PDB file of all heavy atoms in Angstrom:
ATOM      1  N   GLY A  11    -168.456 162.860 -56.482  1.00  0.00           N
ATOM      2  CA  GLY A  11    -169.359 162.303 -57.482  1.00  0.00           C
ATOM      3  C   GLY A  11    -170.482 161.505 -56.876  1.00  0.00           C
ATOM      4  O   GLY A  11    -170.227 160.465 -56.249  1.00  0.00           O
ATOM      5  N   GLY A  13    -172.944 159.831 -58.507  1.00  0.00           N
ATOM      6  CA  GLY A  13    -173.572 158.826 -59.352  1.00  0.00           C
ATOM      7  C   GLY A  13    -173.552 157.519 -58.573  1.00  0.00           C
ATOM      8  O   GLY A  13    -173.080 157.414 -57.461  1.00  0.00           O
ATOM      9  N   VAL A  14    -174.009 156.470 -59.241  1.00  0.00           N
ATOM     10  CA  VAL A  14    -174.133 155.153 -58.558  1.00  0.00           C
ATOM     11  C   VAL A  14    -172.738 154.704 -58.113  1.00  0.00           C
ATOM     12  O   VAL A  14    -172.606 154.060 -57.039  1.00  0.00           O
ATOM     13  CB  VAL A  14    -174.823 154.109 -59.468  1.00  0.00           C
ATOM     14  CG1 VAL A  14    -174.016 153.765 -60.710  1.00  0.00           C
ATOM     15  CG2 VAL A  14    -175.184 152.872 -58.678  1.00  0.00           C
ATOM     16  N   VAL A  15    -171.664 155.028 -58.874  1.00  0.00           N
ATOM     17  CA  VAL A  15    -170.342 154.482 -58.529  1.00  0.00           C
ATOM     18  C   VAL A  15    -169.816 155.158 -57.236  1.00  0.00           C
ATOM     19  O   VAL A  15    -169.251 154.527 -56.344  1.00  0.00           O
ATOM     20  CB  VAL A  15    -169.393 154.638 -59.748  1.00  0.00           C
ATOM     21  CG1 VAL A  15    -167.947 154.314 -59.341  1.00  0.00           C
ATOM     22  CG2 VAL A  15    -169.857 153.767 -60.867  1.00  0.00           C
ATOM     23  N   GLU A  35    -171.384 166.116 -54.263  1.00  0.00           N
ATOM     24  CA  GLU A  35    -172.028 166.017 -55.555  1.00  0.00           C
ATOM     25  C   GLU A  35    -172.396 167.433 -56.048  1.00  0.00           C
ATOM     26  O   GLU A  35    -173.042 168.184 -55.294  1.00  0.00           O
ATOM     27  CB  GLU A  35    -173.298 165.137 -55.457  1.00  0.00           C
ATOM     28  CG  GLU A  35    -174.249 165.298 -56.625  1.00  0.00           C
ATOM     29  CD  GLU A  35    -173.689 165.043 -58.024  1.00  0.00           C
ATOM     30  OE1 GLU A  35    -172.920 164.079 -58.215  1.00  0.00           O
ATOM     31  OE2 GLU A  35    -173.927 165.871 -58.958  1.00  0.00           O
ATOM     32  N   ARG A  36    -171.971 167.769 -57.246  1.00  0.00           N
ATOM     33  CA  ARG A  36    -172.135 169.131 -57.718  1.00  0.00           C
ATOM     34  C   ARG A  36    -173.572 169.537 -57.907  1.00  0.00           C
ATOM     35  O   ARG A  36    -173.892 170.738 -57.816  1.00  0.00           O
ATOM     36  CB  ARG A  36    -171.325 169.351 -59.060  1.00  0.00           C
ATOM     37  CG  ARG A  36    -171.682 168.341 -60.117  1.00  0.00           C
ATOM     38  CD  ARG A  36    -170.687 168.449 -61.275  1.00  0.00           C
ATOM     39  NE  ARG A  36    -171.046 169.571 -62.119  1.00  0.00           N
ATOM     40  CZ  ARG A  36    -172.026 169.540 -62.968  1.00  0.00           C
ATOM     41  NH1 ARG A  36    -172.812 168.472 -63.105  1.00  0.00           N
ATOM     42  NH2 ARG A  36    -172.260 170.600 -63.763  1.00  0.00           N
ATOM     43  N   GLY A  42    -175.759 162.815 -63.183  1.00  0.00           N
ATOM     44  CA  GLY A  42    -174.810 162.587 -64.264  1.00  0.00           C
ATOM     45  C   GLY A  42    -175.339 161.585 -65.231  1.00  0.00           C
ATOM     46  O   GLY A  42    -176.408 161.805 -65.837  1.00  0.00           O
ATOM     47  N   SER A  43    -174.637 160.482 -65.434  1.00  0.00           N
ATOM     48  CA  SER A  43    -175.135 159.435 -66.352  1.00  0.00           C
ATOM     49  C   SER A  43    -176.128 158.446 -65.712  1.00  0.00           C
ATOM     50  O   SER A  43    -176.841 157.753 -66.443  1.00  0.00           O
ATOM     51  CB  SER A  43    -173.940 158.616 -66.904  1.00  0.00           C
ATOM     52  OG  SER A  43    -173.333 159.283 -68.012  1.00  0.00           O
ATOM     53  N   THR A  44    -176.091 158.418 -64.391  1.00  0.00           N
ATOM     54  CA  THR A  44    -176.827 157.329 -63.733  1.00  0.00           C
ATOM     55  C   THR A  44    -178.331 157.376 -63.978  1.00  0.00           C
ATOM     56  O   THR A  44    -178.947 156.320 -64.217  1.00  0.00           O
ATOM     57  CB  THR A  44    -176.514 157.357 -62.209  1.00  0.00           C
ATOM     58  OG1 THR A  44    -175.121 157.108 -62.078  1.00  0.00           O
ATOM     59  CG2 THR A  44    -177.302 156.312 -61.481  1.00  0.00           C
ATOM     60  N   HIS A  46    -180.237 158.151 -66.465  1.00  0.00           N
ATOM     61  CA  HIS A  46    -180.854 157.753 -67.712  1.00  0.00           C
ATOM     62  C   HIS A  46    -180.429 156.335 -68.163  1.00  0.00           C
ATOM     63  O   HIS A  46    -180.765 155.917 -69.242  1.00  0.00           O
ATOM     64  CB  HIS A  46    -180.606 158.731 -68.855  1.00  0.00           C
ATOM     65  CG  HIS A  46    -179.205 159.100 -69.068  1.00  0.00           C
ATOM     66  ND1 HIS A  46    -178.228 158.141 -69.205  1.00  0.00           N
ATOM     67  CD2 HIS A  46    -178.556 160.308 -69.173  1.00  0.00           C
ATOM     68  CE1 HIS A  46    -177.049 158.698 -69.394  1.00  0.00           C
ATOM     69  NE2 HIS A  46    -177.241 160.021 -69.437  1.00  0.00           N
ATOM     70  N   ALA A  47    -179.672 155.645 -67.334  1.00  0.00           N
ATOM     71  CA  ALA A  47    -179.233 154.291 -67.712  1.00  0.00           C
ATOM     72  C   ALA A  47    -180.439 153.364 -67.884  1.00  0.00           C
ATOM     73  O   ALA A  47    -181.424 153.519 -67.173  1.00  0.00           O
ATOM     74  CB  ALA A  47    -178.277 153.717 -66.716  1.00  0.00           C
ATOM     75  N   ALA A  48    -180.238 152.386 -68.731  1.00  0.00           N
ATOM     76  CA  ALA A  48    -181.345 151.425 -68.958  1.00  0.00           C
ATOM     77  C   ALA A  48    -181.458 150.414 -67.826  1.00  0.00           C
ATOM     78  O   ALA A  48    -182.414 149.656 -67.812  1.00  0.00           O
ATOM     79  CB  ALA A  48    -181.124 150.729 -70.309  1.00  0.00           C
ATOM     80  N   GLY A  49    -180.483 150.416 -66.973  1.00  0.00           N
ATOM     81  CA  GLY A  49    -180.525 149.606 -65.757  1.00  0.00           C
ATOM     82  C   GLY A  49    -180.252 148.124 -65.893  1.00  0.00           C
ATOM     83  O   GLY A  49    -180.443 147.326 -64.980  1.00  0.00           O
ATOM     84  N   LEU A  50    -179.758 147.762 -67.071  1.00  0.00           N
ATOM     85  CA  LEU A  50    -179.459 146.317 -67.285  1.00  0.00           C
ATOM     86  C   LEU A  50    -178.222 145.893 -66.434  1.00  0.00           C
ATOM     87  O   LEU A  50    -177.316 146.681 -66.241  1.00  0.00           O
ATOM     88  CB  LEU A  50    -179.142 146.076 -68.757  1.00  0.00           C
ATOM     89  CG  LEU A  50    -180.314 146.435 -69.706  1.00  0.00           C
ATOM     90  CD1 LEU A  50    -179.846 146.341 -71.120  1.00  0.00           C
ATOM     91  CD2 LEU A  50    -181.541 145.561 -69.481  1.00  0.00           C
ATOM     92  N   THR A 172    -172.756 170.656 -54.152  1.00  0.00           N
ATOM     93  CA  THR A 172    -171.406 171.024 -53.667  1.00  0.00           C
ATOM     94  C   THR A 172    -170.378 170.663 -54.786  1.00  0.00           C
ATOM     95  O   THR A 172    -170.118 169.495 -55.060  1.00  0.00           O
ATOM     96  CB  THR A 172    -171.095 170.116 -52.400  1.00  0.00           C
ATOM     97  OG1 THR A 172    -172.153 170.367 -51.452  1.00  0.00           O
ATOM     98  CG2 THR A 172    -169.742 170.455 -51.807  1.00  0.00           C
ATOM     99  N   VAL A 174    -166.809 170.527 -56.461  1.00  0.00           N
ATOM    100  CA  VAL A 174    -165.390 170.553 -56.151  1.00  0.00           C
ATOM    101  C   VAL A 174    -164.696 171.363 -57.219  1.00  0.00           C
ATOM    102  O   VAL A 174    -164.782 171.026 -58.433  1.00  0.00           O
ATOM    103  CB  VAL A 174    -164.794 169.096 -56.108  1.00  0.00           C
ATOM    104  CG1 VAL A 174    -163.256 169.144 -55.973  1.00  0.00           C
ATOM    105  CG2 VAL A 174    -165.456 168.354 -54.970  1.00  0.00           C
ATOM    106  N   ALA A 202    -164.936 159.840 -58.533  1.00  0.00           N
ATOM    107  CA  ALA A 202    -166.008 159.002 -59.167  1.00  0.00           C
ATOM    108  C   ALA A 202    -166.942 159.932 -59.914  1.00  0.00           C
ATOM    109  O   ALA A 202    -168.121 159.990 -59.667  1.00  0.00           O
ATOM    110  CB  ALA A 202    -166.757 158.274 -58.065  1.00  0.00           C
ATOM    111  N   THR A 203    -166.297 160.628 -60.857  1.00  0.00           N
ATOM    112  CA  THR A 203    -167.004 161.798 -61.417  1.00  0.00           C
ATOM    113  C   THR A 203    -167.520 161.534 -62.845  1.00  0.00           C
ATOM    114  O   THR A 203    -167.859 162.506 -63.553  1.00  0.00           O
ATOM    115  CB  THR A 203    -166.128 163.061 -61.375  1.00  0.00           C
ATOM    116  OG1 THR A 203    -164.860 162.723 -62.015  1.00  0.00           O
ATOM    117  CG2 THR A 203    -165.878 163.482 -59.989  1.00  0.00           C
ATOM    118  N   GLY A 204    -167.562 160.310 -63.241  1.00  0.00           N
ATOM    119  CA  GLY A 204    -168.209 159.931 -64.536  1.00  0.00           C
ATOM    120  C   GLY A 204    -167.676 160.686 -65.737  1.00  0.00           C
ATOM    121  O   GLY A 204    -166.501 160.634 -66.034  1.00  0.00           O
ATOM    122  N   PHE A 206    -166.943 163.664 -66.022  1.00  0.00           N
ATOM    123  CA  PHE A 206    -166.041 164.733 -65.613  1.00  0.00           C
ATOM    124  C   PHE A 206    -164.620 164.250 -65.226  1.00  0.00           C
ATOM    125  O   PHE A 206    -163.840 164.915 -64.700  1.00  0.00           O
ATOM    126  CB  PHE A 206    -166.573 165.510 -64.411  1.00  0.00           C
ATOM    127  CG  PHE A 206    -167.827 166.316 -64.669  1.00  0.00           C
ATOM    128  CD1 PHE A 206    -169.051 165.672 -64.705  1.00  0.00           C
ATOM    129  CD2 PHE A 206    -167.749 167.670 -64.843  1.00  0.00           C
ATOM    130  CE1 PHE A 206    -170.259 166.426 -64.932  1.00  0.00           C
ATOM    131  CE2 PHE A 206    -168.924 168.403 -65.080  1.00  0.00           C
ATOM    132  CZ  PHE A 206    -170.148 167.814 -65.138  1.00  0.00           C
ATOM    133  N   HIS A 225    -174.458 157.163 -76.234  1.00  0.00           N
ATOM    134  CA  HIS A 225    -175.186 155.903 -76.347  1.00  0.00           C
ATOM    135  C   HIS A 225    -176.710 156.173 -76.305  1.00  0.00           C
ATOM    136  O   HIS A 225    -177.162 156.988 -75.548  1.00  0.00           O
ATOM    137  CB  HIS A 225    -174.814 154.995 -75.176  1.00  0.00           C
ATOM    138  CG  HIS A 225    -175.648 153.720 -75.195  1.00  0.00           C
ATOM    139  ND1 HIS A 225    -175.707 152.852 -76.251  1.00  0.00           N
ATOM    140  CD2 HIS A 225    -176.425 153.127 -74.213  1.00  0.00           C
ATOM    141  CE1 HIS A 225    -176.459 151.809 -75.946  1.00  0.00           C
ATOM    142  NE2 HIS A 225    -176.902 151.950 -74.677  1.00  0.00           N
ATOM    143  N   TYR A 227    -180.857 154.701 -76.498  1.00  0.00           N
ATOM    144  CA  TYR A 227    -181.802 153.612 -76.469  1.00  0.00           C
ATOM    145  C   TYR A 227    -183.215 154.174 -76.734  1.00  0.00           C
ATOM    146  O   TYR A 227    -183.468 155.405 -76.541  1.00  0.00           O
ATOM    147  CB  TYR A 227    -181.774 152.769 -75.241  1.00  0.00           C
ATOM    148  CG  TYR A 227    -182.125 153.329 -73.940  1.00  0.00           C
ATOM    149  CD1 TYR A 227    -183.456 153.422 -73.506  1.00  0.00           C
ATOM    150  CD2 TYR A 227    -181.124 153.782 -73.045  1.00  0.00           C
ATOM    151  CE1 TYR A 227    -183.797 153.963 -72.241  1.00  0.00           C
ATOM    152  CE2 TYR A 227    -181.452 154.310 -71.822  1.00  0.00           C
ATOM    153  CZ  TYR A 227    -182.744 154.424 -71.413  1.00  0.00           C
ATOM    154  OH  TYR A 227    -183.072 154.924 -70.233  1.00  0.00           O
ATOM    155  N   GLY A 324    -177.461 159.565 -74.266  1.00  0.00           N
ATOM    156  CA  GLY A 324    -176.646 160.086 -73.131  1.00  0.00           C
ATOM    157  C   GLY A 324    -175.202 159.709 -73.256  1.00  0.00           C
ATOM    158  O   GLY A 324    -174.822 158.956 -74.174  1.00  0.00           O
ATOM    159  N   ALA A 325    -174.383 160.240 -72.403  1.00  0.00           N
ATOM    160  CA  ALA A 325    -172.960 159.960 -72.410  1.00  0.00           C
ATOM    161  C   ALA A 325    -172.623 158.763 -71.498  1.00  0.00           C
ATOM    162  O   ALA A 325    -173.156 158.701 -70.380  1.00  0.00           O
ATOM    163  CB  ALA A 325    -172.216 161.200 -71.922  1.00  0.00           C
ATOM    164  N   ILE A 326    -171.817 157.886 -72.028  1.00  0.00           N
ATOM    165  CA  ILE A 326    -171.304 156.772 -71.252  1.00  0.00           C
ATOM    166  C   ILE A 326    -169.779 156.930 -71.225  1.00  0.00           C
ATOM    167  O   ILE A 326    -169.132 157.094 -72.236  1.00  0.00           O
ATOM    168  CB  ILE A 326    -171.559 155.393 -71.872  1.00  0.00           C
ATOM    169  CG1 ILE A 326    -173.022 155.051 -71.944  1.00  0.00           C
ATOM    170  CG2 ILE A 326    -170.820 154.306 -71.166  1.00  0.00           C
ATOM    171  CD1 ILE A 326    -173.268 153.583 -72.205  1.00  0.00           C
ATOM    172  N   HIS A 351    -166.598 154.046 -66.261  1.00  0.00           N
ATOM    173  CA  HIS A 351    -167.596 152.926 -66.240  1.00  0.00           C
ATOM    174  C   HIS A 351    -168.538 152.970 -67.359  1.00  0.00           C
ATOM    175  O   HIS A 351    -169.365 153.911 -67.435  1.00  0.00           O
ATOM    176  CB  HIS A 351    -168.336 152.968 -64.942  1.00  0.00           C
ATOM    177  CG  HIS A 351    -167.604 152.473 -63.762  1.00  0.00           C
ATOM    178  ND1 HIS A 351    -167.513 151.162 -63.397  1.00  0.00           N
ATOM    179  CD2 HIS A 351    -166.844 153.180 -62.839  1.00  0.00           C
ATOM    180  CE1 HIS A 351    -166.738 151.048 -62.347  1.00  0.00           C
ATOM    181  NE2 HIS A 351    -166.325 152.207 -61.985  1.00  0.00           N
ATOM    182  N   SER A 352    -168.544 152.006 -68.273  1.00  0.00           N
ATOM    183  CA  SER A 352    -169.498 151.969 -69.339  1.00  0.00           C
ATOM    184  C   SER A 352    -170.637 151.055 -68.966  1.00  0.00           C
ATOM    185  O   SER A 352    -171.688 151.118 -69.569  1.00  0.00           O
ATOM    186  CB  SER A 352    -168.774 151.501 -70.628  1.00  0.00           C
ATOM    187  OG  SER A 352    -168.146 150.274 -70.425  1.00  0.00           O
ATOM    188  N   PHE A 353    -170.451 150.196 -67.998  1.00  0.00           N
ATOM    189  CA  PHE A 353    -171.541 149.383 -67.437  1.00  0.00           C
ATOM    190  C   PHE A 353    -171.602 149.694 -65.938  1.00  0.00           C
ATOM    191  O   PHE A 353    -171.525 148.811 -65.072  1.00  0.00           O
ATOM    192  CB  PHE A 353    -171.378 147.899 -67.702  1.00  0.00           C
ATOM    193  CG  PHE A 353    -171.621 147.536 -69.115  1.00  0.00           C
ATOM    194  CD1 PHE A 353    -170.586 147.471 -70.065  1.00  0.00           C
ATOM    195  CD2 PHE A 353    -172.901 147.290 -69.569  1.00  0.00           C
ATOM    196  CE1 PHE A 353    -170.836 147.168 -71.361  1.00  0.00           C
ATOM    197  CE2 PHE A 353    -173.174 147.003 -70.906  1.00  0.00           C
ATOM    198  CZ  PHE A 353    -172.121 146.950 -71.809  1.00  0.00           C
ATOM    199  N   GLY A 354    -171.714 150.909 -65.648  1.00  0.00           N
ATOM    200  CA  GLY A 354    -171.539 151.431 -64.242  1.00  0.00           C
ATOM    201  C   GLY A 354    -172.640 150.971 -63.331  1.00  0.00           C
ATOM    202  O   GLY A 354    -172.397 150.835 -62.117  1.00  0.00           O
ATOM    203  N   ILE A 355    -173.836 150.738 -63.837  1.00  0.00           N
ATOM    204  CA  ILE A 355    -174.912 150.301 -62.930  1.00  0.00           C
ATOM    205  C   ILE A 355    -174.578 148.857 -62.481  1.00  0.00           C
ATOM    206  O   ILE A 355    -174.664 148.530 -61.288  1.00  0.00           O
ATOM    207  CB  ILE A 355    -176.284 150.327 -63.652  1.00  0.00           C
ATOM    208  CG1 ILE A 355    -176.522 151.632 -64.343  1.00  0.00           C
ATOM    209  CG2 ILE A 355    -177.423 149.951 -62.704  1.00  0.00           C
ATOM    210  CD1 ILE A 355    -176.458 152.841 -63.489  1.00  0.00           C
ATOM    211  N   THR A 356    -174.081 148.070 -63.404  1.00  0.00           N
ATOM    212  CA  THR A 356    -173.722 146.668 -63.105  1.00  0.00           C
ATOM    213  C   THR A 356    -172.495 146.637 -62.220  1.00  0.00           C
ATOM    214  O   THR A 356    -172.387 145.839 -61.338  1.00  0.00           O
ATOM    215  CB  THR A 356    -173.460 145.918 -64.428  1.00  0.00           C
ATOM    216  OG1 THR A 356    -174.288 146.342 -65.448  1.00  0.00           O
ATOM    217  CG2 THR A 356    -173.478 144.440 -64.249  1.00  0.00           C
TER     218      THR A 356
HETATM  219  C1  LIG B 901    -178.279 155.776 -72.485  1.00  0.00           C
HETATM  220  C2  LIG B 901    -177.482 155.016 -71.499  1.00  0.00           C
HETATM  221  C3  LIG B 901    -177.885 153.751 -71.097  1.00  0.00           C
HETATM  222  C4  LIG B 901    -177.136 153.029 -70.162  1.00  0.00           C
HETATM  223  N1  LIG B 901    -177.572 151.832 -69.768  1.00  0.00           N
HETATM  224  C5  LIG B 901    -176.852 151.114 -68.852  1.00  0.00           C
HETATM  225  C6  LIG B 901    -177.286 149.812 -68.403  1.00  0.00           C
HETATM  226  O1  LIG B 901    -178.290 149.331 -68.846  1.00  0.00           O
HETATM  227  N2  LIG B 901    -176.512 149.125 -67.501  1.00  0.00           N
HETATM  228  C7  LIG B 901    -175.396 149.674 -67.016  1.00  0.00           C
HETATM  229  O2  LIG B 901    -174.699 149.005 -66.199  1.00  0.00           O
HETATM  230  N3  LIG B 901    -174.933 150.892 -67.373  1.00  0.00           N
HETATM  231  C8  LIG B 901    -175.685 151.600 -68.316  1.00  0.00           C
HETATM  232  N4  LIG B 901    -175.245 152.822 -68.738  1.00  0.00           N
HETATM  233  C9  LIG B 901    -174.012 153.396 -68.133  1.00  0.00           C
HETATM  234  C10 LIG B 901    -174.234 154.003 -66.840  1.00  0.00           C
HETATM  235  O3  LIG B 901    -175.158 155.007 -66.910  1.00  0.00           O
HETATM  236  C11 LIG B 901    -172.923 154.565 -66.257  1.00  0.00           C
HETATM  237  O4  LIG B 901    -171.896 153.625 -66.365  1.00  0.00           O
HETATM  238  C12 LIG B 901    -173.059 154.893 -64.777  1.00  0.00           C
HETATM  239  O5  LIG B 901    -174.174 155.719 -64.558  1.00  0.00           O
HETATM  240  C13 LIG B 901    -171.809 155.623 -64.305  1.00  0.00           C
HETATM  241  O6  LIG B 901    -172.009 156.074 -62.991  1.00  0.00           O
HETATM  242  P1  LIG B 901    -170.971 157.041 -62.345  1.00  0.00           P
HETATM  243  O7  LIG B 901    -171.343 157.167 -60.932  1.00  0.00           O
HETATM  244  O8  LIG B 901    -169.612 156.601 -62.689  1.00  0.00           O
HETATM  245  O9  LIG B 901    -171.150 158.425 -63.131  1.00  0.00           O
HETATM  246  P2  LIG B 901    -172.269 159.535 -63.074  1.00  0.00           P
HETATM  247  O10 LIG B 901    -173.629 158.941 -62.846  1.00  0.00           O
HETATM  248  O11 LIG B 901    -172.112 160.377 -64.248  1.00  0.00           O
HETATM  249  O12 LIG B 901    -171.917 160.311 -61.757  1.00  0.00           O
HETATM  250  C14 LIG B 901    -170.829 161.182 -61.676  1.00  0.00           C
HETATM  251  C15 LIG B 901    -171.266 162.318 -60.743  1.00  0.00           C
HETATM  252  O13 LIG B 901    -170.120 163.112 -60.418  1.00  0.00           O
HETATM  253  C16 LIG B 901    -170.566 164.450 -60.300  1.00  0.00           C
HETATM  254  N5  LIG B 901    -169.408 165.317 -60.373  1.00  0.00           N
HETATM  255  C17 LIG B 901    -168.581 165.436 -61.408  1.00  0.00           C
HETATM  256  N6  LIG B 901    -167.662 166.419 -61.197  1.00  0.00           N
HETATM  257  C18 LIG B 901    -167.914 166.849 -59.921  1.00  0.00           C
HETATM  258  C19 LIG B 901    -167.304 167.848 -59.141  1.00  0.00           C
HETATM  259  N7  LIG B 901    -166.208 168.511 -59.574  1.00  0.00           N
HETATM  260  N8  LIG B 901    -167.802 168.105 -57.882  1.00  0.00           N
HETATM  261  C20 LIG B 901    -168.856 167.423 -57.473  1.00  0.00           C
HETATM  262  N9  LIG B 901    -169.488 166.475 -58.170  1.00  0.00           N
HETATM  263  C21 LIG B 901    -168.990 166.176 -59.431  1.00  0.00           C
HETATM  264  C22 LIG B 901    -171.579 164.606 -61.419  1.00  0.00           C
HETATM  265  O14 LIG B 901    -172.432 165.671 -61.196  1.00  0.00           O
HETATM  266  C23 LIG B 901    -172.245 163.234 -61.414  1.00  0.00           C
HETATM  267  O15 LIG B 901    -173.397 163.210 -60.669  1.00  0.00           O
HETATM  268  C24 LIG B 901    -175.960 153.563 -69.623  1.00  0.00           C
HETATM  269  C25 LIG B 901    -175.552 154.859 -70.013  1.00  0.00           C
HETATM  270  C26 LIG B 901    -176.270 155.578 -70.921  1.00  0.00           C
HETATM  271  C27 LIG B 901    -175.833 156.877 -71.434  1.00  0.00           C
END
Side-chain angles (χ1 to χ4, degrees):
V14 66
V15 171
E35 163 54 46
R36 53 191 282 283
S43 276
T44 297
H46 55 49
L50 301 171
T172 305
V174 173
T203 54
F206 293 80
H225 175 55
Y227 66 83
I326 294 196
H351 285 275
S352 54
F353 286 95
I355 311 303
T356 322

